[in-house]
Amino acid sequence: MEESRLKKLQVLKERGLSYPYKFKTSSTIGDVRKRFEKDVEYKHITLKGTVKRVSSVEDGYLVRLVDSRGVEILVLTKEELSQGKEYKLSGLLGRYEGKLCLFSAVSIDSGEAVQIEDIKKEYDLDPNFEEVSLAGRLVALRSMGKALFGHVQDGTGKIQIYLKRDVLGDERFRDFEELVDVGDVLGFRGKLFRTNTGELTLEVEDFLVLTKSLHPMPEKWHGLKDVEVRYRQRYLDLIANEEARKIFLLRSKVISQIRRILDMEGFIEVETPTLQQVASGANAKPFITYHNYLEQNLYLRIAPELYLKRLIVGGFNRVYELGKNFRNEGVDTTHNPEFTMLEFYVAYWDYEDLMEFTEKLMEELLRTVVGGMRITYKGRELDFTPPFRRYSYFELLEKKTGKGMDFFLKDLEGLRNLAGNIGIPKADTLTHAKLIDKVFDVLVEDELWGPCFVVDFPKLLSPLAKSHRKNPELVERFELFVAGKELANAYTELNDPFEQRERFLAQLKEREMGDEEAMQMDEDFIRALEYGMPPTAGEGIGIDRLVMVLAGVDSIREVILFPTLRQR
RNA sequence: GAGCCGGUAGCUCAGUCGGCAGAGCAACGGACUUUUAAUCCGUGGGUCGCGGGUUCGACUCCCGCCCGGCUCACCA
C-alpha cells in the first residue's frame, strides 16, 4: 500500500467522508456517451488540419489533428506526419474509444476537405449543460492550477471531468486536490458540455469519494503488460486494458446470444450434476474428490452428455446445458482444466439436421456479435457464410497418405509403421483407436482452416455415436473445424442399449490396453436407454475456443477471466 | 514432464567487459482556470524472484529452487 494514499484515507475517515453506503447515479458513463455520440458508419471523408501531436501505437500512429479554432479530431495513419505541419488527410470516419477518428488515413495533395468542426457538429451532439450524476474510477488527472481535468471510467466507458475552483468553491476544490488520487472511485454531479477541442466533459459541481484505491494504478500509457499479473489480478487488467474489457464483453455477448438462439428454437436450459458417481461421456481423466457424509469418492464431470440424454428419455425433447467441464490434464494455450461447454440434444433430429443448425447458429452469432460473416484470425480470413464445406474423415486421410479406409481399419501393423514414420511418439504401444486419432491429428487437423465439417468418423473413436446408416464401420458424427481447431463435436446418438453396452465394454478393453482416457461404463445410463430414447442428435461446442476465434486471440487464458495458475 | 526465453522502483523498461542501481510514468513539493500521453521547475523511492557458490568485489559468472511465457509431449 502506498503511504500517501493511506494518509489521505485517514483524513477522509476522520472527516466522515469515506466509504459511503450509496451514491445515486443518473446513468452509466457509456449511456451518457451513447446519447451524445451519433453512430458513424465508416464513411470516406477528407479533412484538413494541423498535426498537434503524434503518438506511435501498434501498427502506425495516432495523430491529434486540430483546426484553426482548436477543435480536434483523432487520426490513425501509417504515415509518419510531422508535428506542427498542415495536412489534407483522407480516410474512413469512425470512432476510436468513443472519439471520432479518421481511420487508415493517407495524406493527399488536392481535393475538397471538410472542416473538422463541421464533422464533429454532425456526429458529436451538444449536451446543452444537461445535469447528470456519474460514478467511476478516476484513471487520469491533469491539474492546471485553479482548474483540473481528469478521466473517469467504468466497464461501459470513459468520460472527461472538469473541476473549476470557481464552480466548486475553494474548500471543495482543495479537498479534491489534497485527498483524491488516480485510482479512487468517485461520484460526481454536474453539467455536461464540450470543451474547445470538442470532447464531451462533465463540469463537476460536487463530488464524493466512494472508495480510495490504496495502490497506485498501472502505467497509463503502456498499460499492464505482465501477463502473470494480468491473469492473477484480472481486475487490474480490466481497469488498465481496453482490449481485455472488449474480450470479456464479447464473451458475455456470445453466451447470451447462444441462450437467445436456443430458447427461440424451443430448447429448455437444464443443469445436470457436476459431481458425478461415474465420470463418463468423454475421453479424459477426471478430478477426484471425496464426500465426507456419503463416505465415497465423487468425480467432477468431464461431460454432461449422459445426463442430458437421460432427459431426452424423460421427454424433454430439446435440452441444452451451458456450463463447466473439468479435465485433469495438461495446461496450454488451448486447454484450461475447467472450461465452458455448450451441449444440446434434439429428439427426432439426426446429424444432418445438426450440421444445418450449426451453420445457422454460427451465422447468427457472427451477425449479432461480430456484425458480419468475416473475421481475420492469425492474419488469415475466415468466412462463416453458410454452407460450410464438408470433408469425409477417410477421404482427408486418403488424400494425405494415399491409403484408404480399409488400411486404417484393418491393417494395424501398417498403420503403426505409418504413425512411427510421421513421428508420432510411442507409436508402438498406442491402441488402434489412438493411432488413427493421432495420425488424423498430425496430418490433417492443422490444415482445416474452415469453417468446415469433417464427417463420418470411425466407430472405434466414437463409443456414444450411432452406426452410420451406409457403413457399419463408421458412425454418423461430425466435427466443426475453424482455424485448425475443433470447435464442435456432434453425432446422431446411439440409442440401442445392447449396442451401447458393447461399445462401453470395448472402451474398457481399451483402458486395459493402456488408454487411461478410455470411457467409463455407466450402467445407470444404459438402463435409461433400456426405457427407450427416441432417435436423437446431440452436439457440444467449446465456448472458450469459440470466443478465442471470435476475439482473435491465440491463448485460452485471454478468454477466461481467472485461468488456472500454479499457486504462488 | 523436456527444451528455450523471462522475473530490476507501484507500472513500462534500460543496465556495456564483474567495479557506487538508471529513465519515463506514478508519488511528494511548487507554477499554471479548456487540458487530454498536458507542460515547466524541484524531491524522495530498490530483498535486482529466492538460496547457495566463485571473486578483493556479483544485477552481471556458476549451481539449485520458485513463478510465468512460448514450443514440444500429454490432452478434444
Side-chain angles (χ1 to χ4, degrees):
Chain A
M1 280 184 288
E2 201 175 51
E3 208 173 319
S4 66
R5 288 172 185 255
L6 273 171
K7 276 188 196 146
K8 291 173 187 178
L9 176 62
Q10 200 54 46
V11 175
L12 284 166
K13 279 185 168 172
E14 277 162 17
R15 294 170 49 182
L17 292 176
S18 55
Y19 302 117
Y21 285 91
K22 183 164 173 164
F23 179 79
K24 200 165 166 47
T25 57
S26 57
S27 69
T28 66
I29 292 169
D31 284 344
V32 166
R33 295 198 66 135
K34 244 179 253 155
R35 278 190 16 242
F36 297 108
E37 291 170 351
K38 252 167 78 178
D39 286 342
V40 198
E41 302 224 324
Y42 287 91
K43 73 173 189 183
H44 199 270
I45 60 161
T46 301
L47 291 170
K48 194 175 75 180
T50 307
V51 171
K52 188 174 179 189
R53 178 160 210 145
V54 181
S55 328
S56 59
V57 290
E58 136 183 43
D59 206 29
Y61 301 94
L62 183 63
V63 175
R64 306 171 68 86
L65 195 70
V66 63
D67 71 7
S68 53
R69 304 178 54 176
V71 180
E72 283 185 15
I73 195 163
L74 294 175
V75 176
L76 265 172
T77 178
K78 292 200 164 133
E79 292 175 35
E80 214 165 320
L81 309 179
S82 17
Q83 211 157 300
K85 266 180 79 177
E86 195 174 277
Y87 290 93
K88 234 177 223 174
L89 294 162
S90 184
L92 292 169
L93 188 68
R95 287 193 184 275
Y96 182 86
E97 291 183 5
K99 292 183 188 178
L100 283 172
C101 178
L102 196 64
F103 289 89
S104 324
V106 288
S107 55
I108 54 169
D109 299 329
S110 55
E112 281 301 296
V114 195
Q115 288 297 319
I116 294 174
E117 196 179 357
D118 293 341
I119 282 294
K120 293 205 85 163
K121 264 192 190 140
E122 189 178 345
Y123 292 103
D124 282 351
L125 311 179
D126 182 3
N128 208 13
F129 299 103
E130 187 178 307
E131 182 102 14
V132 292
S133 301
L134 299 174
R137 190 179 295 274
L138 188 69
V139 291
L141 195 58
R142 298 175 290 278
S143 165
M144 305 279 304
K146 295 185 184 65
L148 195 152
F149 284 94
H151 275 95
V152 177
Q153 168 188 291
D154 67 13
T156 67
K158 199 167 24 169
I159 193 165
Q160 180 163 262
I161 53 160
Y162 178 48
L163 281 82
K164 223 161 134 179
R165 197 159 81 173
D166 293 352
V167 173
L168 217 56
D170 289 357
E171 198 182 323
R172 291 299 280 153
F173 191 78
R174 201 179 329 115
D175 285 349
F176 194 94
E177 281 189 306
E178 286 175 4
L179 300 173
V180 171
D181 292 294
V182 170
D184 295 351
V185 177
L186 305 169
F188 297 99
R189 184 179 55 75
K191 292 192 174 80
L192 293 167
F193 74 110
R194 285 191 183 274
T195 60
N196 289 344
T197 59
E199 179 160 356
L200 185 65
T201 303
L202 178 66
E203 185 177 86
V204 176
E205 288 166 352
D206 199 11
F207 69 92
L208 197 57
V209 179
L210 303 179
T211 185
K212 270 206 82 67
S213 167
L214 298 175
H215 296 280
M217 288 294 107
E219 212 257 1
K220 64 184 165 192
W221 186 242
H222 299 94
L224 182 65
K225 289 246 178 74
D226 186 326
V227 283
E228 195 178 343
V229 178
R230 287 185 45 231
Y231 298 157
R232 287 189 199 274
Q233 294 175 268
R234 183 67 87 179
Y235 47 92
L236 289 180
D237 190 30
L238 294 173
I239 291 168
N241 298 322
E242 163 88 7
E243 193 51 35
R245 288 195 292 275
K246 270 199 203 146
I247 289 171
F248 292 107
L249 290 174
L250 178 118
R251 183 180 176 122
S252 162
K253 220 166 164 185
V254 167
I255 287 172
S256 63
Q257 285 301 324
I258 285 174
R259 285 210 163 93
R260 185 185 63 83
I261 294 162
L262 290 169
D263 291 349
M264 265 178 15
E265 290 285 331
F267 283 82
I268 59 168
E269 182 171 7
V270 297
E271 292 163 285
T272 64
T274 310
L275 290 173
Q276 301 185 344
Q277 312 277 346
V278 179
S280 193
N283 301 104
K285 284 178 235 169
F287 287 93
I288 305 172
T289 187
Y290 181 76
H291 190 285
N292 291 339
Y293 178 80
L294 297 178
E295 296 181 316
Q296 69 167 87
N297 280 338
L298 288 170
Y299 301 92
L300 268 60
R301 76 165 167 215
I302 55 176
E305 173 155 356
L306 303 186
Y307 280 95
L308 291 171
K309 283 195 270 200
R310 285 170 170 91
L311 298 179
I312 296 288
V313 172
F316 285 161
N317 283 341
R318 295 186 178 196
V319 293
Y320 73 94
E321 180 161 12
L322 194 47
K324 291 272 180 77
N325 288 344
F326 306 86
R327 299 189 182 175
N328 204 342
E329 289 155 2
V331 177
D332 63 31
T333 41
T334 51
H335 297 83
N336 195 63
E338 56 175 311
F339 61 98
T340 303
M341 232 355 218
L342 166 70
E343 283 202 19
F344 57 96
Y345 291 81
V346 192
Y348 314 115
W349 277 14
D350 65 9
Y351 78 142
E352 291 282 346
D353 297 312
L354 275 184
M355 273 189 267
E356 221 174 284
F357 180 69
T358 303
E359 287 169 344
K360 230 170 81 184
L361 179 73
M362 295 303 291
E363 183 184 19
E364 188 66 6
L365 277 179
L366 267 284
R367 191 179 65 75
T368 53
V369 176
V370 178
M373 287 306 116
R374 290 176 185 189
I375 55 177
T376 305
Y377 188 71
K378 290 185 176 176
R380 284 177 69 184
E381 183 170 89
L382 282 165
D383 186 347
F384 286 83
T385 309
F388 301 163
R389 295 197 63 168
R390 296 181 186 193
Y391 301 102
S392 126
Y393 188 91
F394 281 108
E395 273 168 25
L396 286 170
L397 275 175
E398 184 159 6
K399 222 184 292 164
K400 278 285 165 191
T401 63
K403 313 257 188 212
M405 178 164 54
D406 279 350
F407 168 80
F408 289 96
L409 295 179
K410 307 272 158 60
D411 185 356
L412 182 55
E413 272 323 295
L415 177 59
R416 215 178 273 291
N417 284 334
L418 173 74
N421 290 341
I422 58 171
I424 287 169
K426 290 184 257 165
D428 45 337
T429 59
L430 290 177
T431 63
H432 194 177
K434 278 269 168 197
L435 278 172
I436 300 179
D437 199 25
K438 286 279 142 197
V439 169
F440 185 85
D441 198 9
V442 168
L443 291 182
V444 183
E445 242 173 53
D446 291 347
E447 293 176 27
L448 298 173
W449 189 254
C452 62
F453 294 117
V454 175
V455 302
D456 299 342
F457 281 61
K459 188 181 275 184
L460 63 170
L461 285 182
S462 319
L464 302 170
K466 198 175 177 84
S467 297
H468 199 284
R469 62 196 81 180
K470 289 184 186 142
N471 184 340
E473 307 275 17
L474 304 180
V475 289
E476 299 197 347
R477 171 180 172 188
F478 71 84
E479 290 189 348
L480 170 66
F481 279 88
V482 179
K485 284 191 192 80
E486 174 203 335
L487 281 198
N489 179 23
Y491 33 83
T492 308
E493 302 294 339
L494 174 56
N495 60 343
D496 175 341
F498 300 104
E499 190 175 350
Q500 183 65 77
R501 179 179 299 279
E502 291 307 312
R503 302 272 198 96
F504 273 135
L505 288 172
Q507 285 292 303
L508 292 183
K509 226 168 252 163
E510 291 276 308
R511 187 168 275 266
E512 279 164 25
M513 286 163 71
D515 180 0
E516 283 184 88
E517 275 96 28
M519 219 173 274
Q520 299 267 29
M521 169 72 80
D522 187 338
E523 290 285 353
D524 190 68
F525 170 65
I526 293 175
R527 187 168 59 175
L529 291 187
E530 286 165 7
Y531 280 90
M533 181 172 83
T536 296
E539 176 164 347
I541 297 180
I543 299 300
D544 310 280
R545 291 183 184 178
L546 173 64
V547 175
M548 282 170 69
V549 170
L550 297 181
V553 297
D554 47 23
S555 170
I556 201 169
R557 291 180 212 112
E558 295 293 340
V559 302
I560 293 175
L561 281 167
F562 299 99
T564 309
L565 297 180
R566 204 180 297 273
Q567 194 169 34
R568 255 290 193 213

PDB file of all heavy atoms in Angstrom, chain A residues 175-199:
ATOM      1  N   ASP A 175     -10.168  20.138  -1.164  1.00  0.00           N
ATOM      2  CA  ASP A 175     -10.393  18.743  -0.769  1.00  0.00           C
ATOM      3  C   ASP A 175      -9.988  17.797  -1.886  1.00  0.00           C
ATOM      4  O   ASP A 175      -9.304  16.801  -1.671  1.00  0.00           O
ATOM      5  CB  ASP A 175     -11.877  18.502  -0.446  1.00  0.00           C
ATOM      6  CG  ASP A 175     -12.264  19.089   0.904  1.00  0.00           C
ATOM      7  OD1 ASP A 175     -11.354  19.488   1.650  1.00  0.00           O
ATOM      8  OD2 ASP A 175     -13.474  19.136   1.184  1.00  0.00           O
ATOM      9  N   PHE A 176     -10.451  18.102  -3.083  1.00  0.00           N
ATOM     10  CA  PHE A 176     -10.161  17.213  -4.212  1.00  0.00           C
ATOM     11  C   PHE A 176      -8.660  17.118  -4.440  1.00  0.00           C
ATOM     12  O   PHE A 176      -8.092  16.041  -4.547  1.00  0.00           O
ATOM     13  CB  PHE A 176     -10.859  17.718  -5.483  1.00  0.00           C
ATOM     14  CG  PHE A 176     -10.895  16.700  -6.597  1.00  0.00           C
ATOM     15  CD1 PHE A 176     -11.987  15.869  -6.764  1.00  0.00           C
ATOM     16  CD2 PHE A 176      -9.817  16.570  -7.473  1.00  0.00           C
ATOM     17  CE1 PHE A 176     -12.020  14.923  -7.780  1.00  0.00           C
ATOM     18  CE2 PHE A 176      -9.838  15.623  -8.484  1.00  0.00           C
ATOM     19  CZ  PHE A 176     -10.944  14.790  -8.653  1.00  0.00           C
ATOM     20  N   GLU A 177      -8.015  18.291  -4.487  1.00  0.00           N
ATOM     21  CA  GLU A 177      -6.567  18.308  -4.729  1.00  0.00           C
ATOM     22  C   GLU A 177      -5.807  17.543  -3.660  1.00  0.00           C
ATOM     23  O   GLU A 177      -4.830  16.863  -3.944  1.00  0.00           O
ATOM     24  CB  GLU A 177      -6.061  19.756  -4.753  1.00  0.00           C
ATOM     25  CG  GLU A 177      -6.319  20.467  -6.054  1.00  0.00           C
ATOM     26  CD  GLU A 177      -5.598  21.809  -6.081  1.00  0.00           C
ATOM     27  OE1 GLU A 177      -5.815  22.596  -5.131  1.00  0.00           O
ATOM     28  OE2 GLU A 177      -4.833  22.056  -7.028  1.00  0.00           O
ATOM     29  N   GLU A 178      -6.275  17.640  -2.413  1.00  0.00           N
ATOM     30  CA  GLU A 178      -5.494  17.082  -1.315  1.00  0.00           C
ATOM     31  C   GLU A 178      -5.822  15.631  -0.996  1.00  0.00           C
ATOM     32  O   GLU A 178      -4.998  14.922  -0.413  1.00  0.00           O
ATOM     33  CB  GLU A 178      -5.695  17.942  -0.052  1.00  0.00           C
ATOM     34  CG  GLU A 178      -4.953  19.261  -0.162  1.00  0.00           C
ATOM     35  CD  GLU A 178      -5.220  20.189   1.019  1.00  0.00           C
ATOM     36  OE1 GLU A 178      -5.932  19.770   1.956  1.00  0.00           O
ATOM     37  OE2 GLU A 178      -4.727  21.328   0.976  1.00  0.00           O
ATOM     38  N   LEU A 179      -7.036  15.189  -1.344  1.00  0.00           N
ATOM     39  CA  LEU A 179      -7.462  13.868  -0.863  1.00  0.00           C
ATOM     40  C   LEU A 179      -7.695  12.822  -1.946  1.00  0.00           C
ATOM     41  O   LEU A 179      -7.850  11.640  -1.644  1.00  0.00           O
ATOM     42  CB  LEU A 179      -8.743  14.025  -0.032  1.00  0.00           C
ATOM     43  CG  LEU A 179      -8.591  14.934   1.191  1.00  0.00           C
ATOM     44  CD1 LEU A 179      -9.936  15.152   1.848  1.00  0.00           C
ATOM     45  CD2 LEU A 179      -7.587  14.347   2.171  1.00  0.00           C
ATOM     46  N   VAL A 180      -7.739  13.263  -3.219  1.00  0.00           N
ATOM     47  CA  VAL A 180      -8.097  12.327  -4.287  1.00  0.00           C
ATOM     48  C   VAL A 180      -6.853  11.906  -5.069  1.00  0.00           C
ATOM     49  O   VAL A 180      -5.977  12.710  -5.353  1.00  0.00           O
ATOM     50  CB  VAL A 180      -9.133  12.973  -5.230  1.00  0.00           C
ATOM     51  CG1 VAL A 180      -9.359  12.107  -6.466  1.00  0.00           C
ATOM     52  CG2 VAL A 180     -10.457  13.185  -4.491  1.00  0.00           C
ATOM     53  N   ASP A 181      -6.783  10.634  -5.384  1.00  0.00           N
ATOM     54  CA  ASP A 181      -5.701  10.103  -6.218  1.00  0.00           C
ATOM     55  C   ASP A 181      -6.270   9.409  -7.442  1.00  0.00           C
ATOM     56  O   ASP A 181      -7.409   8.936  -7.421  1.00  0.00           O
ATOM     57  CB  ASP A 181      -4.894   9.049  -5.441  1.00  0.00           C
ATOM     58  CG  ASP A 181      -4.105   9.663  -4.309  1.00  0.00           C
ATOM     59  OD1 ASP A 181      -3.183  10.441  -4.605  1.00  0.00           O
ATOM     60  OD2 ASP A 181      -4.416   9.366  -3.139  1.00  0.00           O
ATOM     61  N   VAL A 182      -5.448   9.305  -8.467  1.00  0.00           N
ATOM     62  CA  VAL A 182      -5.806   8.465  -9.603  1.00  0.00           C
ATOM     63  C   VAL A 182      -6.013   7.047  -9.089  1.00  0.00           C
ATOM     64  O   VAL A 182      -5.205   6.545  -8.316  1.00  0.00           O
ATOM     65  CB  VAL A 182      -4.689   8.488 -10.669  1.00  0.00           C
ATOM     66  CG1 VAL A 182      -4.953   7.426 -11.740  1.00  0.00           C
ATOM     67  CG2 VAL A 182      -4.592   9.847 -11.306  1.00  0.00           C
ATOM     68  N   GLY A 183      -7.132   6.443  -9.467  1.00  0.00           N
ATOM     69  CA  GLY A 183      -7.436   5.087  -8.996  1.00  0.00           C
ATOM     70  C   GLY A 183      -8.624   5.067  -8.048  1.00  0.00           C
ATOM     71  O   GLY A 183      -9.288   4.043  -7.907  1.00  0.00           O
ATOM     72  N   ASP A 184      -8.916   6.196  -7.410  1.00  0.00           N
ATOM     73  CA  ASP A 184     -10.059   6.249  -6.497  1.00  0.00           C
ATOM     74  C   ASP A 184     -11.370   6.122  -7.279  1.00  0.00           C
ATOM     75  O   ASP A 184     -11.458   6.532  -8.433  1.00  0.00           O
ATOM     76  CB  ASP A 184     -10.084   7.589  -5.739  1.00  0.00           C
ATOM     77  CG  ASP A 184      -8.879   7.734  -4.811  1.00  0.00           C
ATOM     78  OD1 ASP A 184      -8.140   6.741  -4.635  1.00  0.00           O
ATOM     79  OD2 ASP A 184      -8.683   8.839  -4.277  1.00  0.00           O
ATOM     80  N   VAL A 185     -12.372   5.567  -6.613  1.00  0.00           N
ATOM     81  CA  VAL A 185     -13.700   5.515  -7.218  1.00  0.00           C
ATOM     82  C   VAL A 185     -14.491   6.705  -6.685  1.00  0.00           C
ATOM     83  O   VAL A 185     -14.601   6.887  -5.469  1.00  0.00           O
ATOM     84  CB  VAL A 185     -14.422   4.195  -6.894  1.00  0.00           C
ATOM     85  CG1 VAL A 185     -15.832   4.191  -7.478  1.00  0.00           C
ATOM     86  CG2 VAL A 185     -13.621   3.023  -7.448  1.00  0.00           C
ATOM     87  N   LEU A 186     -15.003   7.521  -7.597  1.00  0.00           N
ATOM     88  CA  LEU A 186     -15.620   8.787  -7.215  1.00  0.00           C
ATOM     89  C   LEU A 186     -17.022   8.909  -7.785  1.00  0.00           C
ATOM     90  O   LEU A 186     -17.329   8.323  -8.817  1.00  0.00           O
ATOM     91  CB  LEU A 186     -14.772   9.944  -7.753  1.00  0.00           C
ATOM     92  CG  LEU A 186     -13.290   9.941  -7.360  1.00  0.00           C
ATOM     93  CD1 LEU A 186     -12.530  10.968  -8.170  1.00  0.00           C
ATOM     94  CD2 LEU A 186     -13.136  10.209  -5.874  1.00  0.00           C
ATOM     95  N   GLY A 187     -17.861   9.671  -7.096  1.00  0.00           N
ATOM     96  CA  GLY A 187     -19.173  10.021  -7.625  1.00  0.00           C
ATOM     97  C   GLY A 187     -19.180  11.511  -7.945  1.00  0.00           C
ATOM     98  O   GLY A 187     -18.601  12.303  -7.212  1.00  0.00           O
ATOM     99  N   PHE A 188     -19.813  11.874  -9.068  1.00  0.00           N
ATOM    100  CA  PHE A 188     -19.846  13.275  -9.487  1.00  0.00           C
ATOM    101  C   PHE A 188     -21.258  13.708  -9.829  1.00  0.00           C
ATOM    102  O   PHE A 188     -22.030  12.931 -10.384  1.00  0.00           O
ATOM    103  CB  PHE A 188     -18.988  13.480 -10.744  1.00  0.00           C
ATOM    104  CG  PHE A 188     -17.528  13.198 -10.550  1.00  0.00           C
ATOM    105  CD1 PHE A 188     -16.998  11.988 -10.944  1.00  0.00           C
ATOM    106  CD2 PHE A 188     -16.693  14.142  -9.971  1.00  0.00           C
ATOM    107  CE1 PHE A 188     -15.649  11.711 -10.777  1.00  0.00           C
ATOM    108  CE2 PHE A 188     -15.346  13.882  -9.800  1.00  0.00           C
ATOM    109  CZ  PHE A 188     -14.819  12.673 -10.199  1.00  0.00           C
ATOM    110  N   ARG A 189     -21.544  14.981  -9.534  1.00  0.00           N
ATOM    111  CA  ARG A 189     -22.761  15.602 -10.044  1.00  0.00           C
ATOM    112  C   ARG A 189     -22.322  16.833 -10.798  1.00  0.00           C
ATOM    113  O   ARG A 189     -21.408  17.540 -10.349  1.00  0.00           O
ATOM    114  CB  ARG A 189     -23.676  15.979  -8.872  1.00  0.00           C
ATOM    115  CG  ARG A 189     -25.021  16.562  -9.273  1.00  0.00           C
ATOM    116  CD  ARG A 189     -25.865  16.873  -8.037  1.00  0.00           C
ATOM    117  NE  ARG A 189     -25.146  17.761  -7.106  1.00  0.00           N
ATOM    118  CZ  ARG A 189     -24.975  19.072  -7.303  1.00  0.00           C
ATOM    119  NH1 ARG A 189     -25.454  19.654  -8.380  1.00  0.00           N
ATOM    120  NH2 ARG A 189     -24.319  19.802  -6.412  1.00  0.00           N
ATOM    121  N   GLY A 190     -22.911  17.081 -11.952  1.00  0.00           N
ATOM    122  CA  GLY A 190     -22.501  18.263 -12.699  1.00  0.00           C
ATOM    123  C   GLY A 190     -23.240  18.391 -14.014  1.00  0.00           C
ATOM    124  O   GLY A 190     -24.252  17.735 -14.229  1.00  0.00           O
ATOM    125  N   LYS A 191     -22.698  19.287 -14.867  1.00  0.00           N
ATOM    126  CA  LYS A 191     -23.356  19.569 -16.144  1.00  0.00           C
ATOM    127  C   LYS A 191     -22.445  19.159 -17.290  1.00  0.00           C
ATOM    128  O   LYS A 191     -21.230  19.337 -17.229  1.00  0.00           O
ATOM    129  CB  LYS A 191     -23.639  21.066 -16.264  1.00  0.00           C
ATOM    130  CG  LYS A 191     -24.691  21.580 -15.304  1.00  0.00           C
ATOM    131  CD  LYS A 191     -25.111  22.987 -15.687  1.00  0.00           C
ATOM    132  CE  LYS A 191     -26.269  23.470 -14.832  1.00  0.00           C
ATOM    133  NZ  LYS A 191     -25.822  23.944 -13.499  1.00  0.00           N
ATOM    134  N   LEU A 192     -23.062  18.605 -18.344  1.00  0.00           N
ATOM    135  CA  LEU A 192     -22.296  18.149 -19.499  1.00  0.00           C
ATOM    136  C   LEU A 192     -22.082  19.287 -20.491  1.00  0.00           C
ATOM    137  O   LEU A 192     -22.997  20.054 -20.780  1.00  0.00           O
ATOM    138  CB  LEU A 192     -23.037  17.011 -20.197  1.00  0.00           C
ATOM    139  CG  LEU A 192     -23.149  15.710 -19.397  1.00  0.00           C
ATOM    140  CD1 LEU A 192     -24.162  14.783 -20.041  1.00  0.00           C
ATOM    141  CD2 LEU A 192     -21.796  15.040 -19.275  1.00  0.00           C
ATOM    142  N   PHE A 193     -20.867  19.404 -20.998  1.00  0.00           N
ATOM    143  CA  PHE A 193     -20.585  20.374 -22.066  1.00  0.00           C
ATOM    144  C   PHE A 193     -19.487  19.807 -22.949  1.00  0.00           C
ATOM    145  O   PHE A 193     -19.021  18.699 -22.727  1.00  0.00           O
ATOM    146  CB  PHE A 193     -20.159  21.730 -21.464  1.00  0.00           C
ATOM    147  CG  PHE A 193     -18.750  21.731 -20.892  1.00  0.00           C
ATOM    148  CD1 PHE A 193     -17.725  22.450 -21.532  1.00  0.00           C
ATOM    149  CD2 PHE A 193     -18.434  21.017 -19.745  1.00  0.00           C
ATOM    150  CE1 PHE A 193     -16.438  22.458 -21.016  1.00  0.00           C
ATOM    151  CE2 PHE A 193     -17.145  21.021 -19.229  1.00  0.00           C
ATOM    152  CZ  PHE A 193     -16.142  21.747 -19.870  1.00  0.00           C
ATOM    153  N   ARG A 194     -19.139  20.553 -23.978  1.00  0.00           N
ATOM    154  CA  ARG A 194     -17.992  20.152 -24.801  1.00  0.00           C
ATOM    155  C   ARG A 194     -16.896  21.198 -24.688  1.00  0.00           C
ATOM    156  O   ARG A 194     -17.150  22.390 -24.706  1.00  0.00           O
ATOM    157  CB  ARG A 194     -18.412  19.982 -26.265  1.00  0.00           C
ATOM    158  CG  ARG A 194     -19.207  18.704 -26.481  1.00  0.00           C
ATOM    159  CD  ARG A 194     -19.402  18.365 -27.928  1.00  0.00           C
ATOM    160  NE  ARG A 194     -20.230  17.160 -28.024  1.00  0.00           N
ATOM    161  CZ  ARG A 194     -19.757  15.920 -27.970  1.00  0.00           C
ATOM    162  NH1 ARG A 194     -18.463  15.715 -27.852  1.00  0.00           N
ATOM    163  NH2 ARG A 194     -20.572  14.880 -28.029  1.00  0.00           N
ATOM    164  N   THR A 195     -15.663  20.741 -24.581  1.00  0.00           N
ATOM    165  CA  THR A 195     -14.531  21.664 -24.462  1.00  0.00           C
ATOM    166  C   THR A 195     -14.231  22.263 -25.829  1.00  0.00           C
ATOM    167  O   THR A 195     -14.815  21.889 -26.833  1.00  0.00           O
ATOM    168  CB  THR A 195     -13.275  20.919 -23.983  1.00  0.00           C
ATOM    169  OG1 THR A 195     -12.968  19.902 -24.946  1.00  0.00           O
ATOM    170  CG2 THR A 195     -13.476  20.292 -22.632  1.00  0.00           C
ATOM    171  N   ASN A 196     -13.275  23.189 -25.853  1.00  0.00           N
ATOM    172  CA  ASN A 196     -12.877  23.812 -27.115  1.00  0.00           C
ATOM    173  C   ASN A 196     -12.465  22.783 -28.152  1.00  0.00           C
ATOM    174  O   ASN A 196     -12.660  22.959 -29.343  1.00  0.00           O
ATOM    175  CB  ASN A 196     -11.682  24.749 -26.883  1.00  0.00           C
ATOM    176  CG  ASN A 196     -12.128  25.982 -26.117  1.00  0.00           C
ATOM    177  OD1 ASN A 196     -13.318  26.268 -26.039  1.00  0.00           O
ATOM    178  ND2 ASN A 196     -11.175  26.680 -25.536  1.00  0.00           N
ATOM    179  N   THR A 197     -11.862  21.693 -27.667  1.00  0.00           N
ATOM    180  CA  THR A 197     -11.420  20.679 -28.623  1.00  0.00           C
ATOM    181  C   THR A 197     -12.554  19.730 -28.987  1.00  0.00           C
ATOM    182  O   THR A 197     -12.376  18.842 -29.804  1.00  0.00           O
ATOM    183  CB  THR A 197     -10.261  19.853 -28.052  1.00  0.00           C
ATOM    184  OG1 THR A 197     -10.718  19.224 -26.848  1.00  0.00           O
ATOM    185  CG2 THR A 197      -9.057  20.713 -27.739  1.00  0.00           C
ATOM    186  N   GLY A 198     -13.712  19.905 -28.363  1.00  0.00           N
ATOM    187  CA  GLY A 198     -14.887  19.125 -28.756  1.00  0.00           C
ATOM    188  C   GLY A 198     -15.147  17.888 -27.919  1.00  0.00           C
ATOM    189  O   GLY A 198     -16.024  17.105 -28.242  1.00  0.00           O
ATOM    190  N   GLU A 199     -14.402  17.692 -26.833  1.00  0.00           N
ATOM    191  CA  GLU A 199     -14.626  16.484 -26.053  1.00  0.00           C
ATOM    192  C   GLU A 199     -15.761  16.643 -25.050  1.00  0.00           C
ATOM    193  O   GLU A 199     -15.837  17.634 -24.314  1.00  0.00           O
ATOM    194  CB  GLU A 199     -13.344  16.076 -25.308  1.00  0.00           C
ATOM    195  CG  GLU A 199     -13.585  14.832 -24.465  1.00  0.00           C
ATOM    196  CD  GLU A 199     -12.335  14.088 -24.087  1.00  0.00           C
ATOM    197  OE1 GLU A 199     -11.249  14.480 -24.527  1.00  0.00           O
ATOM    198  OE2 GLU A 199     -12.460  13.105 -23.328  1.00  0.00           O
TER     199      GLU A 199
END
